[in-house]
Amino acid sequence: MSEAHFEANGGNVAVFDTHPSEVIAAESPLHWSRERGLVDDVAGHDGDVKVVERPFLGHLILRGGAITLDEAVRAELGISLPGKPLGLNVDADGSRSVQWLSPDEWLVIVPGGEEFELENRLREHLGDAHFAIVNVSGGQTLVELSGDKARELLMKSVTYDVHSHGLPVGKAVGTVFAKTSVVLRRPNETGFELVIRRSFADYCVRWLLDAGREYGLRVESPSSR
Amino acid sequence: MFYIFCPYCDERREEEEFHPSGQAHLVRPTDPESVSDEAWGDYLFFRDNPRGIHHEMWVHRLGCRKFFNITRDTTTYEILETYPMGEQPTITAETARVRREQGVQTADGGWQTVGAQPENSTLNEETSS
């Protein structure tokens, strides 16, 4: 783990790079499930639903005023904050996104390794503004659902209306999944994304496997960065 | 099962995503040291239990995790309106449309009601059978 840096942002906030300088083995939230044989490094997907974890991404929670944050995120990330509640803005190649979580809270997801640099740039840009940035990369993970039966699978799992009129592309909602909570996102036409908590990851995987058994579902999770 | 409109998410969601958090619009005494024990006790422990219109706080715990207010009829469970924190209800027990015998008394401290009278007093009278 790198040393804490106090010199940026006026010395009142300790920030540190959660990526260690030397390479060590990393365990995604689905590691527990992997040890129990529920998750494959590379799953052969011959079923109607494909579930792939995108581990080790950079997740940042931004809190503060919409106008100041929008300006900073637009300048440093090139994506504007969603203008409306439940909005999800994704960049051109789909690897970076900004999502509305609540009236003063947004979730930024960027490729793993970019989040520390982005956090520092945002802090510098925001200066003395009233805001908070928290790196939550270790606490949650992103799971992609795609395939013909992905919607049917979700219909069995969430209370939310997952039809295209209820959850169009560019919308993301926090809702009930099985008996826990997830963030359900619709970044593109081809599929859905779930942001699940680390402590509930195994439960969610087991639920998905059970609900997707009739569709031949396998869960894939790359074991390294 | 309620189908509740969250004023922050700007759409209706299942009740499962929400949790009730008690009476709304409670105001903490600005100077707790100087209020009487009775007024402080009223603020701390006593809540309205009206028959009819009730303003209560709910939290959208699995959605945006924000608190907001609901005006609900405790007899029919009908949710009459939801509105964000810091705003005042447009429908109250005094609103003409719902004005009727609410059977509500207010305590001396002025904070809460201490009991509900039946809408029809004969309901409580013993009948000779």
Side-chain angles (χ1 to χ4, degrees):
Chain A
M1 192 169 293
S2 317
E3 283 176 34
H5 299 275
F6 283 91
E7 65 274 12
N9 55 66
N12 56 355
V13 179
V15 293
F16 65 91
D17 189 354
T18 52
H19 290 262
S21 44
E22 68 261 40
V23 178
I24 59 168
E27 294 176 355
S28 89
L30 297 196
H31 184 75
W32 173 270
S33 317
R34 182 195 313 283
E35 283 187 338
R36 273 136 198 90
L38 302 169
V39 168
D40 304 301
D41 276 12
V42 180
H45 289 287
D46 47 1
D48 296 321
V49 186
K50 187 177 176 186
V51 176
V52 184
E53 189 201 8
R54 300 288 175 215
F56 313 119
L57 298 179
H59 299 238
L60 295 177
I61 297 278
L62 312 185
R63 300 202 65 168
I67 294 166
T68 40
L69 281 179
D70 180 46
E71 192 187 302
V73 172
R74 209 186 282 254
E76 305 300 339
L77 193 63
I79 309 174
S80 60
L81 245 51
K84 286 195 295 185
L86 310 177
L88 169 67
N89 288 350
V90 185
D91 74 348
D93 68 346
S95 59
R96 296 168 185 82
S97 61
V98 183
Q99 178 197 340
W100 185 97
L101 284 181
S102 86
D104 57 0
E105 189 175 2
W106 290 268
L107 172 65
V108 175
I109 299 186
V110 295
E114 285 185 17
E115 72 273 19
F116 182 60
E117 191 219 355
L118 175 65
E119 179 184 348
N120 281 333
R121 279 190 287 134
L122 285 172
R123 285 188 186 283
E124 195 148 336
H125 191 110
L126 287 160
D128 292 332
H130 184 63
F131 72 96
I133 301 178
V134 183
N135 184 341
V136 295
S137 311
Q140 57 194 35
T141 190
L142 190 74
V143 174
E144 283 181 5
L145 270 69
S146 56
D148 293 342
K149 298 290 185 186
R151 179 177 298 149
E152 273 76 1
L153 181 68
L154 283 173
M155 284 161 65
K156 295 199 278 186
S157 311
V158 300
T159 57
Y160 200 76
D161 177 9
V162 291
H163 190 273
S164 289
H165 59 66
L167 192 67
V169 172
K171 192 171 180 181
V173 298
T175 188
V176 184
F177 176 91
K179 296 203 183 287
T180 181
S181 65
V182 295
V183 175
L184 176 61
R185 296 149 56 99
R186 188 87 196 276
N188 50 51
E189 281 291 344
T190 54
F192 301 86
E193 286 176 353
L194 299 174
V195 178
I196 57 181
R197 291 182 190 279
R198 183 170 206 111
S199 51
F200 283 88
D202 184 59
Y203 171 78
C204 292
V205 163
R206 284 166 193 265
W207 178 280
L208 283 171
L209 283 169
D210 185 48
R213 190 180 300 156
E214 60 176 304
Y215 311 126
L217 178 143
R218 303 285 300 157
V219 180
E220 175 178 331
S221 168
S223 58
S224 57
R225 291 175 196 274
Chain B
M1 196 78 174
F2 289 137
Y3 200 41
I4 299 172
F5 182 85
C6 173
Y8 295 108
C9 293
D10 205 22
E11 64 179 23
R12 289 176 192 280
R13 297 290 187 87
E14 297 278 344
E15 184 189 349
E16 208 178 343
E17 294 184 14
F18 298 86
H19 196 267
S21 300
Q23 185 183 341
H25 304 300
L26 297 175
V27 182
R28 189 176 196 267
T30 48
D31 186 8
E33 299 291 329
S34 65
V35 299
S36 67
D37 284 354
E38 189 187 1
W40 182 249
D42 275 0
Y43 159 71
L44 212 54
F45 300 117
F46 290 90
R47 297 292 180 260
D48 287 355
N49 184 19
R51 176 188 291 247
I53 304 300
H54 188 224
H55 306 291
E56 50 197 30
M57 208 157 53
W58 285 64
V59 58
H60 193 185
R61 60 185 179 138
L62 298 182
C64 59
R65 304 198 298 280
K66 292 288 178 197
F67 285 83
F68 61 96
N69 299 315
I70 283 182
T71 301
R72 191 171 63 88
D73 191 318
T74 59
T75 53
T76 63
Y77 292 95
E78 183 187 4
I79 292 174
L80 300 165
E81 61 174 344
T82 63
Y83 52 101
M85 298 304 287
E87 292 190 8
Q88 292 300 311
T90 60
I91 299 170
T92 65
E94 283 71 43
T95 304
R97 189 164 73 77
V98 294
R99 189 183 182 105
R100 56 175 190 268
E101 188 61 56
Q102 293 286 336
V104 168
Q105 295 173 321
T106 303
D108 294 342
W111 283 109
Q112 88 292 345
T113 52
V114 291
Q117 294 171 334
E119 284 178 278
N120 182 348
S121 62
T122 55
L123 288 175
N124 272 5
E125 289 169 7
E126 284 187 26
T127 51
S128 53
S129 57

